[in-house]
Amino acid sequence: MEEPWDLVVVGAGPAGAAAALGGLAAAPGLRVLILDRASFPRDKACGDGISPDATTVLADLGLAGLLDDWAPVRRLELARGSHRVSRPMHRPVRVVPRLVLDDRLLGAAVGAGARFERHRVRTVVPRGDVVVVDDELAARVVVGADGAYSVIRRAAGAPAVRRRAIALRGYVPTTPRWAGRQIIAFDPDDTQAYAWCFDRGDGLANVGYGAFGRDGLTRTALLRRLGELLPGADDGADWRGHHLPLSSWRWTQPGGRLLLAGDAAGLINPMTGEGIHYAVTTGASAGRAAAAALLAGRPDTAGARHRAAVRRLLGRHLRHTAAAARLARAPAVLTAGLSAAARDQHVFDDLVDLGLGEGRLTPRVISGLARALVH
C-alpha cells in the first residue's frame, strides 16, 4: 500500500468538493484524493435551487461568481388550495442543474490541488493510525460525502437516519406563468408533500413532487400528483427519483477519523427538502476540521472538531427546522404560515431563511402564526 493520503473524500458532489476545497484552503500542502463511482459531468436528482447562504459559503471557499452566468430568481410563490402568497425574496436564488454545478465544483477542487479518481468505495476500516479504503488506499482522515446510503456513515457507527422523503424530478419548457419564479404547491391532501416548479432561466424549469416521511410511492403516483397540482409540469423529460435523509433535532458526528457531510450526514431540511446549503457548509467544515487536526498532528481529533463546528453553525437552526416541520404537519398551521407570510414581508423573509438557509423560528414568525391561527 502506497503512502497514506492526508485526506480521502468519498463522494464528489457539492459536499465532497467543498470538503476538498475547505481542507486545501486551510492547508494548501495537503495530499487530497476525491473518489466517486461516477464520471463527471453527471446528472443528479435535485431541485437545483442554490440558496443565497450556499452562494456565500462558496464565496468563502474562493468561488465567488461561480454561478453568475445563471439567472437570479427573485420571486417565490407558495400555495395550498385557495391560499396563496407570492412575494419577492430579499436575496435571489439561482437554479443550476447538478450536471453543471457539481462539475464546476469538482473542477475547482482539482484546480486547487485535489486529485480525482473514479472508484466505487465498498469498505472503509480504521486500522491503527490510518483508515484503509477497499484494502487499496490509506488515509489519515476520510470524509464521507457519499450520499443518502453512505458507506462511511455505516463504518463510522452513526445511527441510521430515521425519517426520509422521496421525490421525483424532471425538466419541462418554462411557460410564461412559471417564468422568473420558484413555485411550491403544497398538496391539499397531504401537508407533508408538495409539487414544485423552479425556473432555470434558460428556457427550462426544474419540476417535481416530493413526499416527506413516506416511502413506496411509485413514479406513476408521483407524476400524477405533480400534474394535478401543477398542470403541464408532468409533461417533461429526464425524470429521476431519489431519497432524502431528513435532519432531526440533534445532529450526530462520531469522534475519530471518519467525518460526515451533506446527505451522508443526514442533513436535509425537513421542511423543504433543501440540501445544497447543508452540503457545502458541512463539507467545508469537514475539510477544515481535517486540516486542523492534521496540522496539529492529531488526525484522530478531526471528528470532534467537525462535530463542534457544525453544531456551532447549524445546531440551533436544526432544532428550529425540526420543530417547524412537526408543526407544519397540522393543516391549520401550514395555512396560517401562508396567511402570515402574505400579510407581512418580514415573516415571509424569515420563513424563506428557515427553509433555505440557516434561519430560525423568529418571534415575528411565531406571533404571525398565532395571529393567523386566531383569525
Side-chain angles (χ1 to χ4, degrees):
M1 192 173 298
E2 61 186 37
E3 178 185 356
W5 291 84
D6 294 318
L7 175 61
V8 168
V9 180
V10 181
L21 287 162
L24 287 165
L30 287 186
R31 296 178 65 245
V32 178
L33 174 65
I34 306 172
L35 302 173
D36 198 290
R37 63 183 181 180
S39 58
F40 284 69
R42 62 97 174 90
D43 193 12
K44 195 80 171 179
C46 183
D48 294 344
I50 313 300
S51 71
D53 284 10
T55 303
T56 298
V57 175
L58 295 180
D60 290 342
L61 290 171
L63 302 180
L66 181 73
L67 306 175
D68 282 357
D69 56 327
W70 286 83
V73 179
R74 304 184 184 278
R75 181 166 288 273
L76 173 64
E77 181 177 307
L78 306 171
R80 182 172 186 267
S82 61
H83 299 275
R84 187 178 302 272
V85 55
S86 179
R87 285 187 176 276
M89 293 177 280
H90 69 288
R91 295 183 296 168
V93 304
R94 284 180 165 80
V95 182
V96 183
R98 295 288 296 276
L99 192 72
V100 174
L101 174 69
D102 292 18
D103 191 50
R104 290 186 184 183
L105 289 176
L106 178 58
V110 171
R115 178 175 168 181
F116 171 69
E117 291 185 5
R118 186 178 181 185
H119 177 87
R120 180 169 188 167
V121 172
R122 300 182 184 278
T123 62
V124 176
V125 181
R127 188 177 300 163
D129 60 354
V130 297
V131 178
V132 178
V133 179
D134 287 341
D135 293 323
E136 299 177 15
L137 303 168
R140 294 184 172 89
V141 179
V142 170
V143 171
D146 50 336
Y149 296 97
S150 169
V151 171
I152 313 306
R153 185 180 184 88
R154 291 196 300 272
V161 176
R162 295 178 59 185
R163 190 163 180 263
R164 295 178 181 268
I166 186 170
L168 183 70
R169 180 233 71 189
Y171 295 108
V172 299
T174 304
T175 67
R177 163 72 178 83
W178 300 336
R181 64 188 65 201
Q182 288 189 306
I183 300 171
I184 292 178
F186 294 98
D187 195 326
D189 299 328
D190 185 351
T191 57
Q192 298 182 73
Y194 68 80
W196 75 81
C197 177
F198 300 160
D199 181 19
R200 296 185 352 181
D202 64 349
L204 292 176
N206 179 306
V207 295
Y209 181 88
F212 293 70
R214 297 176 61 186
D215 207 346
L217 293 174
T218 66
R219 169 173 164 165
T220 300
L222 295 169
L223 277 173
R224 183 177 65 251
R225 291 306 293 151
L226 171 61
E228 290 169 353
L229 293 169
L230 293 172
D234 55 331
D235 187 22
D238 296 328
W239 296 106
R240 287 179 178 266
H242 61 301
H243 288 89
L244 306 172
L246 303 175
S247 59
S248 59
W249 297 90
R250 185 171 177 82
W251 179 69
T252 301
Q253 163 63 55
R257 301 169 184 263
L258 300 180
L259 282 58
L260 303 171
D263 287 16
L267 288 174
I268 295 288
N269 191 303
M271 289 176 54
T272 61
E274 199 283 332
I276 296 295
H277 168 247
Y278 291 165
V280 295
T281 297
T282 58
S285 168
R288 290 168 181 147
L294 289 163
L295 290 173
R298 292 291 308 280
D300 57 307
T301 66
R305 293 171 187 266
H306 180 44
R307 178 174 61 239
V310 172
R311 287 182 177 172
R312 185 171 59 251
L313 288 167
L314 297 177
R316 192 174 177 189
H317 163 76
L318 293 175
R319 292 192 293 273
H320 282 234
T321 56
R326 180 164 293 185
L327 288 171
R329 296 179 194 178
V333 174
L334 180 56
T335 299
L338 296 177
S339 298
R343 283 199 297 267
D344 189 329
Q345 178 72 45
H346 296 299
V347 171
F348 178 87
D349 292 338
D350 288 351
L351 286 172
V352 170
D353 285 342
L354 182 66
L356 299 183
E358 299 175 10
R360 300 169 185 174
L361 283 169
T362 61
R364 60 189 174 195
V365 167
I366 294 171
S367 62
L369 284 172
R371 286 195 301 270
L373 284 168
V374 170
H375 177 74

